[in-house]
């Protein structure tokens, strides 16, 4: 399969056309522990959103624990939208990730995982969550956003094009 690396400059202007159609969301950072069960809610919503996806739809407590133990993880970079109709569940999430500058690239802010629970499809939460992630990355001083999308995912590619992302690199991924 082919993965596309897309990029866009930050910040997204206040008058960007995608903002006009995106619903207002209450976004909060990820919290987990004895009094918070965000990992479980994220796993349920993510696995429903990516049911049938070869890489993303099989998250467990162990996979989330491994990722949240990584040195790059910051709970403030995992943005959650609670589901007002279902307490304890998420309508969606935008997990962002920071990449330090290298010899080849400036510091980058990645839209790492964007997910909308299927019960909220058609509500334009995808664009709203991506915009929330991009605004978050800009607020912490990053000037370039990056994400990866499967070439076969036409709807996601359309969403990202509408948000101003352009192709930076194409990578072929081989699977056994």
């Amino acid at each position: 399969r082919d993965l596309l690396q897309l990029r866009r400059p930050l910040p997204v202007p206040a008058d960007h056309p995608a903002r006009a159609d995106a619903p207002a969301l209450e976004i909060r950072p990820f919290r987990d522990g004895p009094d918070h069960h965000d990992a479980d809610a994220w796993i349920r919503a993510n696995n429903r959103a990516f049911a049938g996806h070869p890489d993303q739809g099989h998250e467990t407590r162990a996979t989330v624990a491994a990722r949240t133990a990584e040195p790059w993880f910051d709970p403030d970079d995992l943005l959650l939208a609670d589901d007002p109709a279902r307490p304890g569940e998420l309508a969606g999430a935008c997990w962002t990730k920071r990449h330090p500058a290298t010899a080849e690239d400036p510091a980058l802010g990645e839209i790492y995982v964007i997910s909308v629970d299927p019960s909220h499809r058609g509500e334009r939460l995808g664009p709203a969550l991506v915009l929330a992630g991009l605004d978050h990355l800009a607020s912490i001083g990053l000037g370039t956003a990056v994400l990866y999308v499967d070439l076969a995912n036409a709807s996601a590619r359309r969403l990202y094009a509408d948000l101003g992302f352009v192709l930076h690199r194409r990578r072929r991924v081989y699977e056994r």
Side-chain angles (χ1 to χ4, degrees), residues 10 96-99 107-111 134 137 142-147 165:
L10 295 174
T96 65
K97 186 176 178 182
R98 307 171 199 202
H99 297 276
L108 299 170
E110 180 179 350
I111 300 293
L134 296 173
L137 294 169
L142 295 165
T144 303
V146 61
L147 60 80
F165 281 89

Side-chain angles (χ1 to χ4, degrees), residues 20-45:
D21 293 336
L25 290 179
E26 285 191 39
I27 300 291
R28 65 178 181 81
F30 176 86
R31 296 292 176 254
D32 206 43
D35 298 326
H36 302 280
H37 303 285
D38 285 348
D40 295 326
W42 182 84
I43 290 165
R44 287 189 301 271

Side-chain angles (χ1 to χ4, degrees), residues 100-107:
T102 66
E104 298 83 35
D105 284 315

Side-chain angles (χ1 to χ4, degrees), residues 1-7 50 53 97 99 105 108-114 145-151 153 156-157 160 165 168-171 173:
R1 49 187 248 250
D2 289 324
L3 290 181
L4 307 178
Q5 185 192 97
L6 308 179
R7 293 188 181 188
F50 288 99
H53 190 277
K97 186 176 178 182
H99 297 276
D105 284 315
L108 299 170
E110 180 179 350
I111 300 293
Y112 181 55
V113 179
I114 180 82
V146 61
L147 60 80
Y148 296 86
V149 63
D150 194 308
L151 176 66
N153 191 341
R157 288 189 3 253
Y160 301 139
F165 281 89
H168 182 74
R169 185 174 295 136
R170 182 178 179 154
R171 189 176 87 197
V173 178

Side-chain angles (χ1 to χ4, degrees), residues 29-116:
F30 176 86
R31 296 292 176 254
D32 206 43
D35 298 326
H36 302 280
H37 303 285
D38 285 348
D40 295 326
W42 182 84
I43 290 165
R44 287 189 301 271
N46 184 80
N47 288 352
R48 286 190 297 260
F50 288 99
H53 190 277
D55 301 324
Q56 191 60 35
H58 311 285
E59 298 297 328
T60 65
R61 257 297 185 168
T63 61
V64 172
R67 259 192 248 137
T68 58
E70 291 285 341
W72 55 262
F73 177 73
D74 183 328
D76 291 337
D77 292 342
L78 176 43
L79 310 174
L80 306 178
D82 290 309
D83 186 333
R86 299 178 307 155
E89 298 296 327
L90 299 176
C94 181
W95 194 337
T96 65
K97 186 176 178 182
R98 307 171 199 202
H99 297 276
T102 66
E104 298 83 35
D105 284 315
L108 299 170
E110 180 179 350
I111 300 293
Y112 181 55
V113 179
I114 180 82
S115 59
V116 174

